[in-house]
Amino acid sequence: MDAALLIVLAGAAAAGFAQGVSGFAFSLVALSVWAWAVEPQLAAPMSVFGALMGQLVTLPFIWRGFELRKLLPLLIGGLIGVPFGVMLLAWFDPAMFKFGLGVFLLIYCPIMLLLPHDFKWERGGRVADAMAGFGGGVLGGIGGISGPVPTLWTNLRGWSKETQRGVLQAFNIAMHTTTLTIYAFTGSITGEALHMFAIIAPALAIPALLGVSLFHRLNAQAFRRMILLLLMVSGLTLIWGSVAHWL
């Protein structure tokens, strides 16, 4: 087994566990690991596929928090945003994109951690929810990173961890499915990508289930703190990867 394959397997397993706990972190973790062995053009469909598989594997364990009324604004905004993200993928410098997202996470997450745990932002209504979904859709189209923006927004909204997880699980499944469909029509899913899909799926399954088991053990405050800390670590990883690429 060569080093590149080991990196792919390790990235899938670590990302599967992170997604099982948080509901969204597959692409952030996987891309930071795969960057050492996989070309960006191949890593994008790999990360979207892996994120989708992780969502489907854990779906039977979290669906009870699902609320259609809360999902719809996010979903409508997200479905509009995905095609924009796919178009931007051809224009963006991947390193600059990752650097910008990392800076955003390092600024936003500490602010959220300093707010009282019971703080809720109730303004903006369904339009603001749709805008959060649009942001998630754009990032999902670029590289399967549909989760951070809606997750940060629903944390700010003060949703319970069960509702947040159930709604965002459905949102992310829709975003990843839409993104993969567009990738297929634009020729981004090659034979090599399909080979990688077959490697990724079994590697992430058990870690994802272990992660969702930990999710159920966390109380609401611990879950919120864990999500924000995980996003901060992801931000640092994204910035480090970008700087290493430039150097």
Side-chain angles (χ1 to χ4, degrees):
M1 187 179 295
D2 61 25
L5 181 57
L6 284 174
I7 290 172
V8 169
L9 291 172
F17 179 78
Q19 184 172 18
V21 178
S22 66
F24 70 90
F26 187 93
S27 294
L28 288 168
V29 174
L31 289 172
S32 66
V33 176
W34 292 344
W36 300 102
V38 180
E39 291 296 321
Q41 293 81 1
L42 179 58
M46 285 170 59
S47 67
V48 178
F49 173 80
L52 176 60
M53 289 299 100
Q55 301 286 4
L56 293 175
V57 166
T58 57
L59 182 62
F61 303 95
I62 55 83
W63 65 269
R64 292 175 181 81
F66 175 76
E67 292 186 28
L68 180 61
R69 182 180 63 84
K70 291 186 174 181
L71 170 66
L72 285 177
L74 292 167
L75 183 61
I76 292 169
L79 291 175
I80 295 171
V82 168
F84 282 95
V86 174
M87 287 189 292
L88 289 172
L89 182 62
W91 291 20
F92 267 6
D93 174 3
M96 182 60 72
F97 165 71
K98 292 176 184 178
F99 182 83
L101 180 58
V103 170
F104 168 74
L105 292 174
L106 288 183
I107 293 173
Y108 188 93
C109 293
I111 294 173
M112 288 291 293
L113 283 170
L114 292 174
L115 291 174
H117 69 87
D118 57 351
F119 177 84
K120 295 183 181 181
W121 182 268
E122 298 179 348
R123 300 177 184 177
R126 296 164 74 83
V127 173
D129 292 344
M131 292 304 297
F134 177 81
V138 171
L139 294 180
I142 290 174
I145 314 176
S146 61
V149 172
T151 299
L152 291 170
W153 178 247
T154 53
N155 259 291
L156 194 60
R157 284 294 206 204
W159 291 10
S160 71
K161 74 175 186 126
E162 290 78 13
T163 300
Q164 182 183 19
R165 185 65 184 271
V167 170
L168 293 185
Q169 195 98 347
F171 172 81
N172 286 320
I173 287 173
M175 296 303 101
H176 299 326
T177 302
T178 303
T179 302
L180 280 177
T181 301
I182 296 175
Y183 280 179
F185 277 108
T186 57
S188 298
I189 300 179
T190 62
E192 186 180 6
L194 291 174
H195 175 69
M196 287 297 183
F197 290 175
I199 294 172
I200 292 167
L204 66 84
I206 293 178
L209 293 175
L210 293 173
V212 82
S213 176
L214 177 59
F215 161 77
H216 286 299
R217 298 172 185 270
L218 296 171
N219 62 40
Q221 187 173 353
F223 176 71
R224 177 178 180 273
R225 188 180 298 115
M226 181 210 68
I227 290 294
L228 293 171
L229 289 173
L230 178 60
L231 284 168
M232 287 176 62
V233 171
S234 299
L236 285 170
T237 303
L238 289 168
I239 291 173
W240 171 257
S242 301
V243 172
H245 174 78
W246 289 326
L247 296 177

